[in-house]
Amino acid sequence: MAEIEVDLYEVLEVHRGASADEIRKAYRKAALVNHPDKVPEDERPAAEAKFINVQKAYEILSDDDKRHIYDTHGMSAFNGAGEPGMGGGMGGMPAGFEEMFAEMFSGGMGGMPGMGGMGGMGGMPGGGRPRRSPDEEQDYEVSLEELYKGKTVKFASTKNVICSLCKGKGGKEKATAKKCSTCDGHGLQEVITQMGQFLTKQTRPCSVCNGQGSFFSPKDKCKKCKGKRTIEEKKMLEIYIAPGSREGEKIVLEGEADQIPDRENGDIIFKLVQEEHEVFDRAGSDLRAAIDITLAEALTGFSRVVLKHLDGRGIEITHPAGKVLSTGQVLKVPGEGMPIKRSDSRGDLYLAVNVKFPDESWNPTPEMLAKLQELLPKPGPAIEATTVDEVEYDPNGNMDEFGARDAQGGSAWVDDDDEEPAQCAAQ
């Protein structure tokens, strides 16, 4: 079978000038779409091969040095002979490049999942570490209360594990797998498809061997896994969210991803996503909330619980009489913010004051109003001006209408910094 040249940019469906952020977003999208857990069981071999291709493409294109090598020399830089492994060296590369390349990858690309038919990048010489199965990443939504108090989550996970009967071989103990003649053992085959008026060449997992490169005859297949080498197994897992954890943090369950024969187990990675809270906003280890107080409390002081905290405690504030509070004023409560991980410290709580004035249902008597006028501060000196008739007014005016009736179409708002328009010279 001829060497299969795969365009890594096509694998991720990005253009060659794509930025690192565009490559990262494309990888996340492609990995989610092609994850083996997202397809029916009979489609998993094909999805797994595509998923590994996507992951390997990202491994190369997300690294500036590897991407430069690929852009300059193509896949031949990773396998000059076109067969799995380095084979006869870096054919066609400039002097000294082979040593530089070997140093860059620190003795091989072990630890990165293989590419199947993409040149066998997991088989580079000197690789001391076995390849890994793909990591499984997913978001985990968590409330602010859970981030404040901490939480232990137990859940059942169904994953693929290596068959205990055949030890991941796929066939009977003394049986030998046959090399797939359709793909010549590469696991991939080229398919010509038509898109509109054009014929395109695509690489897909081999339909005969399901992308494995070899297969057992029906009579030699393992009776337990039916030749698939792995079986499904349910396992109870547990994650611990420490108090003070933040959105974006990752919790890693090492070795708990799907198992693949001849590879180290990948990880399950949970990324914390904080749900929006109705009362509190968070910034680092600090918390912010708004509190409502009455006009009487703003003027005369108060002592009461103004807020229920994330752990259910009531936050009580005592504000002395004679210290007037106004809307927008902020009360800082030290040590009542979020816990700080790996310490006994906490952030601070910021309370934004909102003074609530009486609404239309308030109906004081003339005597009450007179007493208020007597108690409250008097207005400033009278404005000296010619007295005019008393004017009518709308108590529900809307500032959005300010300047809206300008016949010239200009805004009535004037910015003091705006330059005055030039005047036409007199003729």
Side-chain angles (χ1 to χ4, degrees), residues 70 151 182 188 206 220 228 242 257 283 301 318 339 342 373 377 413:
Y70 173 74
K151 183 182 181 182
T182 303
L188 296 177
C206 179
D220 290 334
K228 296 179 179 179
T318 298
R342 294 180 291 275
Q373 288 181 336
W413 289 104

Side-chain angles (χ1 to χ4, degrees), residues 22-300:
E22 288 173 329
I23 289 175
R24 182 168 55 254
K25 290 180 179 179
Y27 163 69
R28 290 177 178 173
K29 178 181 178 181
L32 181 63
V33 171
N34 296 289
H35 197 285
D37 288 347
K38 304 295 184 181
V39 299
E41 185 175 353
D42 59 339
E43 298 179 13
R44 282 188 178 180
E48 180 180 320
K50 184 66 179 294
F51 182 80
I52 291 175
N53 286 357
V54 167
Q55 195 162 28
K56 183 55 61 183
Y58 178 68
E59 291 283 356
I60 293 176
L61 298 183
S62 64
D63 185 288
D64 291 340
D65 292 331
K66 298 176 189 176
R67 183 176 180 181
H68 174 70
I69 292 172
Y70 173 74
D71 289 343
T72 306
H73 302 279
M75 288 305 297
S76 62
F78 301 91
N79 188 338
E83 296 294 334
M86 294 299 293
M90 300 291 219
M93 291 195 173
F97 187 84
E98 186 169 349
E99 290 77 10
M100 182 271 285
F101 189 81
E103 180 181 353
M104 177 181 298
F105 293 108
S106 302
M109 300 183 75
M112 294 194 299
M115 282 294 276
M118 289 185 64
M121 298 175 66
M124 298 180 71
R129 296 174 295 170
R131 295 175 296 175
R132 284 169 53 92
S133 63
D135 292 336
E136 300 174 17
E137 298 190 23
Q138 55 183 292
D139 292 341
Y140 183 80
E141 292 190 354
V142 60
S143 68
L144 189 56
E145 284 86 355
E146 291 167 336
L147 293 176
Y148 182 87
K149 296 182 290 185
K151 183 182 181 182
T152 298
V153 183
K154 295 182 179 181
F155 61 96
S157 174
T158 300
K159 68 176 184 177
N160 294 330
V161 298
I162 295 175
C163 177
S164 58
L165 180 60
C166 66
K167 305 297 188 294
K169 180 180 178 181
K172 297 178 180 179
E173 183 177 357
K174 296 183 179 180
T176 302
K178 299 178 181 179
K179 180 180 177 180
C180 179
S181 59
T182 303
C183 66
D184 196 28
H186 288 80
L188 296 177
Q189 59 184 161
E190 292 180 346
V191 179
I192 304 298
T193 59
Q194 183 169 356
M195 298 183 64
Q197 299 178 353
F198 302 96
L199 295 177
T200 61
K201 182 171 62 176
Q202 294 182 341
T203 303
R204 296 179 179 176
C206 179
S207 59
V208 177
C209 64
N210 291 324
Q212 295 185 12
S214 62
F215 60 90
F216 287 94
S217 61
K219 67 182 182 63
D220 290 334
K221 286 184 178 180
C222 173
K223 302 300 182 183
K224 187 172 184 179
C225 67
K226 311 301 182 186
K228 296 179 179 179
R229 307 170 72 192
T230 60
I231 59 174
E232 286 191 347
E233 182 179 273
K234 183 174 291 186
K235 182 178 180 180
M236 292 301 299
L237 298 176
E238 179 178 297
I239 61 174
Y240 174 63
I241 303 171
S245 297
R246 303 188 184 194
E247 181 175 51
E249 289 186 6
K250 294 182 178 181
I251 301 175
V252 180
L253 298 181
E254 296 183 357
E256 294 295 349
D258 283 341
Q259 297 180 3
I260 298 178
D262 305 322
R263 298 190 191 179
E264 286 186 350
N265 295 344
D267 304 328
I268 297 179
I269 303 172
F270 291 96
K271 181 180 178 181
L272 299 182
V273 178
Q274 179 186 315
E275 299 172 350
E276 186 175 351
H277 200 275
E278 294 182 353
V279 177
F280 293 94
D281 291 323
R282 179 182 185 180
S285 58
D286 294 334
L287 290 172
R288 177 181 62 184
I291 59 172
D292 292 333
I293 64 172
T294 65
L295 177 58
E297 289 176 323
L299 298 175
T300 64

Side-chain angles (χ1 to χ4, degrees), residues 148 240 242-246 285 337-347:
Y148 182 87
Y240 174 63
S245 297
R246 303 188 184 194
S285 58
M338 294 291 294
I340 300 176
K341 293 177 67 175
R342 294 180 291 275
S343 76
D344 296 329
S345 303
R346 293 176 181 267

